[in-house]
């Protein structure tokens, strides 16, 4: 099957799913008793039926639910994600403003997770039941079980407050004048503008949240690389490779790792998707202006359009990553056919 | 294989059951993950039961003159902003977090198991509808969905538990569905059908009991997940309301107090150890109950 027809078939399954997601989100917000207006207008204004009525009409809350849903979906089909009741801005504009910060953080966290997780998993498998293996298992256990927000706070208390090695919350030193926005990724934009001071500050600010956020993914990657490598190292072709006198490094990196790459790539892909969503707590703790924090703030104010917008975005990213992971299978292992 | 081994769905005598139980217990005790996990979980259960007896102070008693004191012999974990003893509050926190996690797991597993079993057993249209809804729920970022639901229902631990349960059920539905589909084709099910056993009875008496061991593993791992999610909701201010000594809420209270590290450090340690306990227990149970999923190494 060609890549194109595979892509189209996946798309046919995906689009109805996304609509189901919107329907579900809409049903939840409709069924709940709380009133989003109570979050944005004052108590005194709430007592004035005229103001309330005006607001309801302005936001279409006076219409019956099916009509409201149809309006939402028809806007969505035209690429309009609606407006936030709280910020009174279009959700697309809000997301465009916050999303790059999350992408930057997620990429940095994935880099952390892969740089530490993959070698640790390999070492643990090669030196199985030895000290490094026990250490790797301990680290991955901690990474999975530790509350991210707690880890973030401890990191801030130690490295920012006590040792003063790291800057505090935020994305960049607030006193610096920022370079013009091109990609929205502060690191890239500062390089484009030749502003090394901004780049340094941005990287410095990025370090701690990326380490904290990357810890969880690193645990998953370590675990999966370890068990995949252990399985591969027991195969006959590894014995053959050793028997013909290849040095151990080549056996492990060329022969074993390549065959253990499939599960590792799945883990990395899935964890990148999780990072997009999982950044919620990290962004809250580090005052990181990303979509996670935007979603939390909107959720707390029952602002439907932004929650739905972020959800759809994350769902699309998730589906896209799954698709890329499946494609990479076919590239890495010629025996796998797309179907 | 021993003489006492019986086929799935086959009746066992009392003696056989007793023997099987003894054997299971001894295998359990020889499994390191399972025993470590069970001990930690047992520890927190005892703490939860005995907190009023072993806690040196009341978890809500305020002494403003004694506020923000570092750990000392009098206050092992120090005191918080209102002069409350953090050690006592952490102990009492077990009485909050464990029941909440248990409620989540009971709600989510019963909904998930029921829907997954019905979907897997009936197949066809029902299967399609249930599983597509499950897919849609899974497409939501779980924490964001939970936050939205809790915000909508109003802050509070019960609402947080409901939200977490609503987010987690599809995983159960998927897992149990795949087991039911596999079991549906087994000979003992065909035999039951041939004997004229009703569909409902076949599902609940013959198929589901055989799918339960794998659920036990999931339940144990999810107790940990539920503790983490509920604590996260409390941390962003949507779970426990003051003065409830909830671990996530206690961490939130220490959020901007970097100097007074003990405010956040000890409740976090409590969450961490409890989650580690349930994870170890789950891993151990997996080794014991499902040899095919046994971890390598």
């Amino acid at each position: 099957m060609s890549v194109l027809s595979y892509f189209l078939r996946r798309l046919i399954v995906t689009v109805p799913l996304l609509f189901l997601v919107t329907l579900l989100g809409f049903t939840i917000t409709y069924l709940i008793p709380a009133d989003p207006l109570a979050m944005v207008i004052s108590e005194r204004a709430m007592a004035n039926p005229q103001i309330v009525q005006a607001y309801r009409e302005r936001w279409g809350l006076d219409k019956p639910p099916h009509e409201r849903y149809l309006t939402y979906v028809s806007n969505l089909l035209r690429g309009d994600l609606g407006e936030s009741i709280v910020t009174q801005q279009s959700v697309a504009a809000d997301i465009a403003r916050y999303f790059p910060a999350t992408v930057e953080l997620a990429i940095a966290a994935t880099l952390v997770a892969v740089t530490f997780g993959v070698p640790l998993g390999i070492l643990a498998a090669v030196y199985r039941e030895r000290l490094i293996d026990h250490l790797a298992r301990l680290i991955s256990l901690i990474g999975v079980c530790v509350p991210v927000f707690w880890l973030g706070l401890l990191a801030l208390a130690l490295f920012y407050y006590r040792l003063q090695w790291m800057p505090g919350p935020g994305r960049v030193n607030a006193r610096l004048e920022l370079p013009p926005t091109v990609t929205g990724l502060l690191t890239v934009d500062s390089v484009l503008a030749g502003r090394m001071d901004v780049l340094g500050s941005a990287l410095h600010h990025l370090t701690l949240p990326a380490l904290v956020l990357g810890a969880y993914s690193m645990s998953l990657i370590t675990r999966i690389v370890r068990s995949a490598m252990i399985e591969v190292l027991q195969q006959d072709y590894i014995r053959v490779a050793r028997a013909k006198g290849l040095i151990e490094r080549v056996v492990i990196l060329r022969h074993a790792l390549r065959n253990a790459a499939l599960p590792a790539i799945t883990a990395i892909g899935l964890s990148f998707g999780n990072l997009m969503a999982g950044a919620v707590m990290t962004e809250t703790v580090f005052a990181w202006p990303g979509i996670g924090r935007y979603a939390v703030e909107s959720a707390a104010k029952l602002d439907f359009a932004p929650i739905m917008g972020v959800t759809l975005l994350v769902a699309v990213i998730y589906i896209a990553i799954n698709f890329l992971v499946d494609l990479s299978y076919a590239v890495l292992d010629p025996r796998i056919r797309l179907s | 294989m021993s003489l006492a081994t019986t086929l799935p769905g086959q009746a066992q005598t009392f003696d056989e059951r007793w023997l099987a139980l003894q054997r299971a217990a001894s295998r359990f005790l020889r499994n390191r993950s399972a025993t470590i996990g069970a001990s930690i979980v047992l520890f927190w259960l005892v703490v939860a039961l005995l907190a009023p007896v072993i806690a040196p102070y009341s978890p809500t008693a305020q002494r403003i003159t004694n506020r923000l004191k570092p750990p000392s012999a009098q206050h092992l974990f120090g005191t918080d902003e209102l002069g409350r003893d953090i050690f006592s509050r952490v102990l009492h926190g077990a009485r909050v977090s464990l029941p909440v996690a248990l409620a989540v797991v009971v709600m989510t597993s019963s909904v998930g198991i029921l829907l997954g079993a019905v979907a897997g057993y009936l197949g066809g249209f029902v299967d399609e509808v249930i599983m597509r809804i499950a897919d849609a729920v899974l497409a939501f970022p779980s924490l964001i969905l939970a936050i939205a639901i809790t915000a909508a229902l109003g802050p509070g631990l019960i609402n947080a538990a409901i939200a977490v349960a609503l987010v987690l059920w599809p995983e159960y539905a998927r897992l149990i569905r795949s087991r039911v589909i596999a079991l549906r084709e087994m000979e003992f099910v065909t035999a039951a059908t041939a004997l004229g056993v009703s569909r409902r009875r076949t599902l609940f008496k013959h198929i589901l009991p055989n799918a339960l061991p794998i659920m036990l593993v999931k339940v144990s791992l999810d107790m940990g997940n539920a503790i983490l999610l509920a604590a996260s909701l409390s941390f962003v201010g949507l779970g426990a309301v003051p003065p409830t000594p909830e671990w996530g809420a206690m961490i939130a209270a220490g959020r901007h107090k970097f100097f007074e590290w003990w405010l956040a450090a000890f409740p976090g340690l409590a969450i961490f150890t409890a989650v580690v306990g349930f994870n170890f227990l789950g891993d151990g149970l997996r080794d014991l109950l499902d040899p095919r999923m046994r971890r390598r190494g």
Side-chain angles (χ1 to χ4, degrees):
Chain A
M1 191 187 288
S2 78
V3 173
L4 184 70
S5 67
Y6 179 65
F7 175 74
L8 287 177
R9 253 184 52 182
R10 291 278 290 257
L11 201 66
I12 293 169
V13 187
T14 304
V15 173
L17 179 66
L18 288 179
F19 276 97
L20 199 61
V21 169
T22 62
L23 185 61
L24 201 71
F26 194 83
T27 315
I28 291 170
T29 40
Y30 176 68
L31 286 179
I32 50 176
D35 188 348
L37 285 191
M39 302 286 175
V40 277
I41 57 181
S42 70
E43 221 166 291
R44 253 181 77 194
M46 275 303 272
N48 183 336
Q50 265 177 318
I51 296 179
V52 172
Q53 185 57 30
Y55 258 92
R56 288 202 182 289
E57 275 169 28
R58 161 74 177 80
W59 295 102
L61 294 171
D62 54 338
K63 306 236 168 56
H66 62 275
E67 214 172 292
R68 276 162 58 195
Y69 180 65
L70 286 180
T71 315
Y72 180 78
V73 170
S74 67
N75 284 342
L76 190 64
L77 286 174
R78 282 184 275 116
D80 179 0
L81 288 168
E83 250 177 275
S84 156
I85 298 187
V86 178
T87 64
Q88 307 230 349
Q89 298 243 350
S90 97
V91 170
D94 275 348
I95 286 181
R97 192 147 46 98
Y98 295 124
F99 188 51
T102 301
V103 173
E104 198 164 39
L105 180 56
I107 290 175
T110 303
L111 283 179
V112 167
V114 172
T115 342
F116 293 102
V118 173
L120 197 58
I122 296 174
L123 286 175
V126 173
Y127 300 102
R128 205 170 146 197
E129 295 297 326
R130 306 261 283 277
L131 182 67
I132 182 93
D133 186 23
H134 293 304
L135 205 66
R137 287 161 79 174
L138 186 71
I139 292 174
S140 58
L141 178 78
I142 293 175
V144 172
C145 296
V146 77
V148 175
F149 53 96
W150 183 60
L151 194 63
L153 285 178
L154 289 190
L156 275 176
L158 183 63
F159 295 108
Y160 161 59
Y161 182 80
R162 183 114 341 171
L163 300 173
Q164 303 198 334
W165 290 354
M166 291 292 165
R171 218 179 150 192
V172 72
N173 187 342
R175 260 171 265 156
L176 287 173
E177 193 193 328
L178 295 184
T181 306
V182 184
T183 59
L185 304 175
L186 212 47
T187 44
V188 178
D189 284 354
S190 56
V191 172
L192 289 179
R195 293 285 304 278
M196 290 307 136
D197 53 336
V198 177
L199 178 68
S201 170
L203 285 176
H204 205 188
H205 276 81
L206 194 55
T207 311
L208 218 46
L211 283 172
V212 168
L213 185 58
Y216 180 79
S217 304
M218 191 195 87
S219 327
L220 295 184
I221 292 172
T222 307
R223 271 189 187 189
I224 288 168
V225 169
R226 174 179 178 273
S227 67
M229 281 295 281
I230 286 176
E231 192 173 323
V232 171
L233 285 173
Q234 288 163 349
Q235 302 293 321
D236 286 338
Y237 55 79
I238 295 297
R239 202 168 306 140
V240 171
R242 282 186 181 137
K244 70 181 182 188
L246 291 182
I247 53 170
E248 194 62 15
R249 191 165 52 90
V250 175
V251 173
I252 287 163
L253 293 183
R254 288 257 183 84
H255 293 243
L257 188 59
R258 252 201 105 159
N259 284 290
L262 286 191
I265 283 181
T266 315
I268 294 166
L270 288 180
S271 75
F272 187 74
N274 282 334
L275 285 181
M276 288 282 172
V280 170
M281 297 314 280
T282 319
E283 288 181 1
T284 306
V285 170
F286 287 94
W288 197 261
I291 51 162
R293 211 165 64 122
Y294 177 58
V296 172
E297 280 167 9
S298 309
K301 297 221 161 102
L302 301 180
D303 202 350
F304 171 73
I307 304 174
M308 218 50 249
V310 172
T311 301
L312 284 176
L313 179 70
V314 174
V316 169
I317 292 171
Y318 218 87
I319 291 164
I321 286 173
N322 269 322
F323 176 73
L324 290 177
V325 166
D326 286 353
L327 268 190
S328 71
Y329 278 17
V331 175
L332 284 170
D333 188 344
R335 285 169 305 181
I336 295 176
R337 296 270 166 275
L338 298 171
S339 61
Chain B
M1 282 291 156
S2 69
L3 288 173
T5 309
T6 46
L7 290 169
Q10 188 179 324
Q12 291 175 312
T13 65
F14 177 76
D15 278 350
E16 279 171 339
R17 279 186 190 180
W18 179 240
L19 216 67
L21 199 68
Q22 275 186 321
R23 197 168 293 121
S26 84
R27 275 205 303 159
F28 185 88
L29 290 176
R30 268 184 276 130
N31 182 300
R32 206 167 46 164
S33 298
T35 41
I36 295 175
S39 323
I40 301 176
V41 169
L42 201 66
F43 166 80
W44 278 114
L45 283 178
V46 170
V47 168
L49 283 175
L50 298 182
V53 186
I54 46 180
Y57 301 89
S58 151
T60 47
Q62 305 179 5
R63 265 182 64 206
I64 298 297
T65 48
N66 207 24
R67 62 197 292 266
L68 297 175
K69 287 276 183 302
S72 63
Q74 262 180 335
H75 298 283
L76 281 179
F77 293 174
T79 63
D80 69 6
E81 273 188 308
L82 299 169
R84 295 175 295 198
D85 179 50
I86 292 181
F87 180 62
S88 306
R89 285 177 69 75
V90 167
L91 295 184
H92 276 269
R95 294 170 80 88
V96 179
S97 291
L98 293 187
V100 165
L102 193 66
V104 166
V105 170
V106 167
M107 276 191 283
T108 192
S109 62
S110 41
V111 172
I113 288 173
L114 190 69
L115 290 177
V118 168
Y121 188 59
L122 294 181
F125 181 69
V126 179
D127 182 25
E128 200 63 28
V129 170
I130 293 177
M131 293 324 288
R132 287 303 79 79
I133 295 177
D135 284 346
V137 174
L138 282 175
F140 278 93
S142 57
L143 192 57
I144 296 177
L145 182 60
I147 286 172
I149 298 175
T150 325
L153 296 170
L157 272 173
I158 295 172
N159 292 345
I162 294 173
V164 175
L166 283 174
V167 170
L168 291 180
W169 71 266
E171 292 177 20
Y172 284 87
R174 275 196 176 175
L175 193 60
I176 204 88
R177 175 178 172 271
S178 66
R179 283 297 290 158
V180 167
I181 287 176
L183 288 165
R184 198 175 57 183
E185 310 302 330
M186 304 276 274
E187 275 143 5
F188 69 91
V189 175
T190 319
T193 316
L195 285 170
V197 179
S198 73
R199 289 216 289 192
R200 184 190 302 173
R201 198 179 156 78
T202 310
L203 177 57
F204 286 99
K205 291 274 170 185
H206 296 269
I207 295 181
L208 269 187
N210 285 296
L212 285 181
I214 192 169
M215 279 295 116
L216 206 59
V217 174
K218 175 95 181 112
V219 160
S220 178
L221 294 173
D222 262 359
M223 282 292 288
N225 284 337
I227 292 176
L228 277 177
L229 271 171
S232 307
L233 287 176
S234 290
F235 180 75
V236 293
L238 291 169
V241 270
T244 315
E246 203 275 343
W247 294 331
M250 291 170 72
I251 296 177
R255 222 184 120 174
H256 299 292
K257 298 202 162 37
F258 293 134
F259 179 74
E260 290 91 358
W261 54 271
W262 57 90
L263 288 182
F266 294 112
L269 215 53
I271 298 178
F272 175 63
T273 52
V275 177
V276 165
F278 283 110
N279 267 288
F280 264 129
L281 186 60
D283 276 355
L285 286 175
R286 170 158 43 206
D287 289 350
L288 292 171
L289 296 172
D290 193 359
R292 281 161 306 148
M293 284 173 72
R294 196 163 285 175
R295 278 183 313 162
R296 297 176 185 95

